[in-house]
Amino acid sequence: MKLTKIEGVAEIHADDVGVANMIVARCLAAATQGDLSAYYDLGVAFSTGSHGVGVDMIEAHKWFNLAASHGHEEAAWCRADISEEMTARDIAEAQRRAREWLSDGARHAA
């Protein structure tokens, strides 16, 4: 399960919405297990509006930030790239959401 890279976004058709939702759901499930590729793939999905999700740069930054903070080099580049299009307030919100995700994960692991 690999989402489309930012450089090669494919169009999604109405018939594919169920499949797209399933892909995002699988990525979210993998992300709860700490899967760095899932973090990155969710960042790609939210930054491009692919796989049935709307473009949401705050969510994209959150997912890229989570992946980058665990050493995913490409996610760090993507995070820097989208940061140029965001306000300081948006970035702060994305960082807050990333901390919240990590905090929620730590609680569930305990």
Side-chain angles (χ1 to χ4, degrees):
M1 170 199 53
K2 187 72 176 158
L3 294 179
T4 308
K5 299 273 188 219
I6 289 175
E7 298 85 22
V9 177
E11 293 272 332
I12 190 162
H13 301 286
D15 297 341
D16 301 328
V17 171
V19 172
N21 289 339
M22 187 171 56
I23 290 170
V24 171
R26 284 185 182 164
C27 280
L28 285 168
T32 62
Q33 301 300 312
D35 184 330
L36 297 184
S37 294
Y39 290 162
Y40 174 77
D41 290 343
L42 287 164
V44 170
F46 281 104
S47 66
T48 61
S50 59
H51 302 286
V53 300
V55 172
D56 184 335
M57 297 309 238
I58 294 172
E59 278 296 299
H61 189 285
K62 171 184 114 176
W63 292 112
F64 286 141
N65 194 33
L66 288 165
S69 70
H70 289 90
H72 194 292
E73 194 171 320
E74 195 170 352
W77 285 102
C78 292
R79 179 187 59 194
D81 188 43
I82 68 169
S83 291
E84 294 176 8
E85 302 173 28
M86 299 172 69
T87 66
R89 182 172 286 175
D90 289 342
I91 293 169
E93 174 61 16
Q95 291 171 336
R96 184 195 67 74
R97 290 182 190 180
R99 284 189 305 273
E100 185 177 275
W101 175 268
L102 291 173
S103 175
D104 287 348
R107 276 193 295 257
H108 293 304

